[in-house]
Amino acid sequence: MHVPDGFIDAPISAATGMVAAGAIAVSLRGARRELDERTAPLAGLVAAFIFAVQMLNFPVAAGTSGHLLGGALAAILVGPYTGVLCVSVVLLMQGILFADGGLTALGVNITDMAITTTVVAYAVFRGLVKILPRSRRSITAASFVAALLSVPAAALVFTLLYALGGTTDVSLGKVATAMIGVHVLIGIGEAAITALTVGAVIAVRPDLVHGARGLEQRLKLRVDGELVDAPRPLEPVAATSRRKLWIGGLLASLVLAGFVSFYASSNPDGLEKVAADQGIDRQTKEHASADSPLADYGVRDVEDARLSGGLAGVIGVGVTVVAGTGVFWAVRRRRSTSSQVA
């Protein structure tokens, strides 16, 4: 789904750039309400995890693969505003360091992969949560459906952008049918990854999952004939658990990007396949970062393909977690400063 330079013309690319900039500005303000001292480190980890899992292309049809987009996962774990920022950080790192997704198309990619997936997924998720029983299974099921629908929604948005600013003369109907069709299949993989991840985090720390807030009722104790809320666990215990969760998540991301990614499908992803089949890629331009030492997810001058890809993945996870955590801690500190001034 990473759109390269040349698919969409300059005016529409510039317009989506302004949309992306506006959405990021709004998200920076909204994320202040979502992030606290517990969730700010988790948000950086979510960005790194999305980067790692996006390296794991899975087969979805003959000659086609797909990978996680991550908007649904980020929105449910850390909130919709923070989710937009998480995926945007990933896209920025991929575009600059790995030549994945055009730099002039960065606005298109953020609009499509960060904004669309997050907004659609979170809207569907909140709608389902309101009508389903408040339980862990319901949160996981709602995550599955939200993620499933977010992917074809992103494919539809790309089709609309192509209709407005496509650089090749290709039947819009054929593009829409091919894009939405293959991305419904990719959405199944997205849904499975999202539901498994959300379910795993809820199992150990439901209080850290934005979409599960209010899921658990406070334990009641009977005191002098009256029911009162039981005291919450002491903060040092929770802090240790958060640290273990963060370390475990980071190690999982490093293993996925540094080792498991070598076994990912080498088939073109949904957009690449549709572009090649329909002729959308005739005007593709060389990436501005094509000479990056990490271009195409490999380390230059490292001959062994397994080692080269693994090192690139590990570097990508490290850079993304540092960049993401830095952004989210800055947003968190801005919130604290604003509260003190108020």
Side-chain angles (χ1 to χ4, degrees), residues 32 329-342:
R32 297 181 196 175
W329 269 117
V331 172
R332 168 60 187 160
R333 291 188 63 183
R334 184 71 177 270
R335 171 185 172 179
S336 300
T337 303
S338 300
S339 300
Q340 293 173 1
V341 172

Side-chain angles (χ1 to χ4, degrees), residues 51 55 97-99 257-258 261-262 289-317 319:
F51 175 91
M55 294 183 66
L97 298 179
F98 298 92
S261 62
F262 181 77
S289 299
D291 293 331
S292 167
L294 297 174
D296 297 323
Y297 297 94
V299 178
R300 184 187 299 169
D301 297 330
V302 176
E303 299 298 331
D304 184 272
R306 184 191 298 267
L307 180 60
S308 177
L311 286 175
V314 168
I315 293 171
V317 168
V319 171

Side-chain angles (χ1 to χ4, degrees), residues 2-48:
H2 293 77
V3 179
D5 295 321
F7 275 25
I8 307 296
D9 64 21
I12 297 302
S13 295
T16 56
M18 290 187 288
V19 170
I24 289 174
V26 171
S27 297
L28 285 170
R29 294 182 62 86
R32 297 181 196 175
R33 300 189 297 271
E34 295 173 345
L35 295 171
D36 55 30
E37 68 279 357
R38 300 180 307 159
T39 56
L42 179 63
L45 176 61
V46 168

Side-chain angles (χ1 to χ4, degrees), residues 4 23 28 96-97 128 202 208 270 317:
L28 285 170
I96 293 176
L97 298 179
L128 291 174
I202 288 179
L208 295 181
V317 168

Side-chain angles (χ1 to χ4, degrees), residues 45-73:
L45 176 61
V46 168
F49 183 77
I50 290 172
F51 175 91
V53 180
Q54 283 195 3
M55 294 183 66
L56 309 180
N57 281 47
F58 49 85
V60 294
T64 310
S65 69
H67 62 72
L68 182 80
L69 299 186
L73 178 62

Side-chain angles (χ1 to χ4, degrees), residues 108-165:
V108 173
N109 285 318
I110 290 176
T111 299
D112 200 23
M113 295 178 63
I115 301 171
T116 299
T117 58
T118 300
V119 171
V120 170
Y122 198 70
V124 172
F125 175 82
R126 295 309 305 174
L128 291 174
V129 165
K130 288 181 180 180
I131 61 176
L132 293 174
R134 293 291 291 173
S135 67
R136 294 181 182 181
R137 289 184 178 180
S138 295
I139 297 295
T140 303
S143 301
F144 184 95
V145 177
L148 174 63
L149 295 178
S150 71
V151 178
L156 177 59
V157 168
F158 169 79
T159 303
L160 294 175
L161 293 175
Y162 179 80
L164 294 173

